[in-house]
Amino acid sequence: MRAMTEHLPGLRFLHSPGPTHLPDAVIAAMARQPMDLADPRVAATLAACEAGVRRLAGTAAAQPIFFIANGHGAWEAVVQNLLAPDALALVPGTGHFSESWARQTEALGRGVVRTPWTEGEPMDVDAVEAALRADLSGGRHRIAAVFMVHTDTASGTTHSIDAVRAAMDAAGHPALLVVDAVASLGAAPLAMDAQRIDVLVGASQKGLMLPPGVGFTLVNAAAMAVAAANPTPRFYWDWVLRVGEMPYQKFCGTPPLTLMAGMEAGLALLFAEGLEAVFARHRRLAGAVQAAVAAWADGGAVDFFCRVPAARSVSVTAISTAPGVDADAIRRTAREAFDVSIAGGLGPLAGRVFRIGHLGDLSAPMVLGALGGVQAALQQLRIPIGRDGVAAAVDYLALDSARATSGTRGEPR
Ligand SMILES: *Cc1c(COP(=O)(O)O)cnc(C)c1O
């Protein structure tokens, strides 16, 4: 492996589903001296970030609360604020991230009801409804919240928020709906108020195009009321203590000024492009990656991990390898020989899945470059690829652009 400090000519491509590539405007915004906390520019930056994440999440009233933490920190805030010591969370199985959140909840002393997950499949929503009905049947219900992962980054699968909400309504269960949108916020549409999401969870280093370091929750009034009545001992994570005007109060101490300046700049980029255009770009680039994977799959050595095309995420594509084909070797070769960083399989998928991230500050030529590097790695390792995936992606993009310019743009997939 080469040393971090070694000079490498040209660009190194980062196509993990987080951390993601940083836009130049974000790097520039972060290259500045800190300010004193009473400087009105600090409050203005924080206000812009609050308004921006609200707009991205599709909420008029939910309270954004930021933590100097990663996504796991925001998960912890959800558990500590919403779950009284004897309350349960229902965690629908979606893959590695639902299981990690469930384990963290249990580590904090709370009970978890899980629904089963089948590899390669979207969430079993019927099982969610059944679990909620079973919880109500005993008289006093114990499930206080449903913790659902929107895009499970490990499986490259996006699960339907509306279907989960409908299951909760059908069961007549009063639990709060918490959605982990860490991997979808800024890449796919979210309408927190219209979809009746009570808490939305996000983090800085994915669709928001920032370095890691800020996790956040958007909390509606119902969830804030549950937190206010929750006797669980907590301080740093306490939502109620964070509501106020002073920057010092909002962050339970000194705000991460550099990251928030970057967030202000990153959000401004998304709104300048236009959210519809941002989401369309993600769909288009995902379509190009999927065209390449479909071509490679003809060789029989790799295939889509997610078997349901409509559930494949616009943020990341998970690719499973046939028995005997080492997914980690593909990842290593792509990075070390071709300067393309992709992600590996998580948890039980280690060694048999690799993942190409396609969210954040990306353009078509960046995606084509990444696909070229991955295909070169596959060829160097003598892994059979059926057709030329890069050519398939070029064809997809050319066709999609022609459709867009002729004004008869259909759904990219
Ligand atoms: C990345 C991710 C997380 C965890 O974020 P960290 O910042 O690594 O703690 C949680 N949920 C989803 C869906 C993710 O993609």
Side-chain angles (χ1 to χ4, degrees):
M1 205 167 35
R2 294 176 300 224
M4 285 272 269
T5 50
E6 185 185 339
H7 171 73
L8 295 162
L11 303 175
R12 310 186 76 187
F13 280 40
L14 178 59
H15 287 263
S16 93
T20 62
H21 179 81
L22 302 180
D24 291 343
V26 168
I27 294 176
M30 293 190 302
R32 64 170 71 153
Q33 296 293 332
M35 287 173 268
D36 86 81
L37 301 189
D39 190 317
R41 291 167 194 82
V42 172
T45 289
L46 298 185
C49 292
E50 289 180 355
V53 295
R54 266 203 194 108
R55 184 169 161 196
L56 257 193
T59 178
Q63 174 71 47
I65 299 169
F66 299 100
F67 302 95
I68 303 178
N70 54 22
H72 283 72
W75 278 352
E76 187 124 344
V78 167
V79 174
Q80 297 296 46
N81 283 284
L82 289 186
L83 300 184
D86 61 345
L88 303 179
L90 172 60
V91 182
T94 56
H96 177 79
F97 282 93
S98 68
E99 183 53 26
S100 301
W101 199 359
R103 284 191 199 160
Q104 189 169 331
T105 303
E106 288 171 332
L108 292 165
R110 311 312 207 287
V112 170
V113 177
R114 291 170 171 79
T115 61
W117 173 65
T118 307
E119 274 193 14
E121 298 292 328
M123 179 200 300
D124 181 350
V125 183
D126 292 340
V128 172
E129 186 178 330
L132 291 169
R133 285 187 190 280
D135 184 54
L136 288 173
S137 69
R140 196 180 77 96
H141 68 87
R142 289 189 65 202
I143 294 173
V146 176
F147 294 174
M148 89 163 272
V149 178
H150 185 211
T151 292
D152 198 301
T153 322
S155 55
T157 306
T158 298
H159 307 275
S160 169
I161 297 168
D162 293 341
V164 171
R165 185 76 251 184
M168 295 171 71
D169 292 346
H173 200 292
L176 297 171
L177 176 57
V178 183
V179 174
D180 172 344
V182 172
S184 49
L185 191 65
L190 283 151
M192 191 177 167
D193 292 349
Q195 294 178 292
R196 292 189 290 133
I197 299 165
D198 295 293
V199 178
L200 198 86
V201 177
S204 53
Q205 77 275 18
K206 298 185 181 178
L208 264 54
M209 314 179 293
L210 295 167
V214 176
F216 56 90
T217 47
L218 288 117
V219 182
N220 76 4
M224 194 63 87
V226 169
N230 180 0
T232 299
R234 61 198 189 277
F235 190 82
Y236 182 79
W237 303 110
D238 195 332
W239 286 334
V240 179
L241 297 178
R242 297 297 192 101
V243 179
E245 289 311 310
M246 303 298 286
Y248 201 80
Q249 180 178 4
K250 287 180 192 291
F251 280 85
C252 190
T254 308
L257 297 170
T258 309
L259 283 164
M260 299 312 283
M263 185 181 293
E264 182 180 17
L267 288 164
L269 290 177
L270 293 176
F271 298 133
E273 183 179 353
L275 290 185
E276 280 313 313
V278 169
F279 303 147
R281 174 167 56 82
H282 279 81
R283 285 196 299 273
R284 178 165 177 261
L285 298 181
V289 172
Q290 289 166 10
V293 174
W296 294 334
D298 283 354
V302 300
D303 204 348
F304 290 104
F305 176 79
C306 177
R307 284 190 287 268
V308 180
R312 288 175 194 151
S313 132
V314 297
S315 303
V316 53
T317 297
I319 300 148
S320 54
T321 56
V325 177
D326 181 3
D328 288 338
I330 299 168
R331 179 189 190 191
R332 209 164 35 244
T333 304
R335 189 206 304 119
E336 300 303 330
F338 299 105
D339 289 323
V340 172
S341 280
I342 56 175
L346 296 175
L349 302 182
R352 55 191 185 94
V353 162
F354 68 95
R355 297 175 296 145
I356 302 175
H358 35 80
L359 82 162
D361 187 45
L362 293 181
S363 60
M366 292 165 83
V367 166
L368 291 175
L371 292 171
V374 173
Q375 183 164 314
L378 291 167
Q379 290 185 213
Q380 178 166 315
L381 293 167
R382 300 187 191 289
I383 293 167
I385 53 167
R387 288 177 290 128
D388 182 343
V390 177
V394 169
D395 287 348
Y396 176 90
L397 290 168
L399 222 106
D400 193 62
S401 299
R403 244 184 267 128
T405 42
S406 72
T408 57
R409 185 190 174 85
E411 271 301 291
R413 280 179 288 155

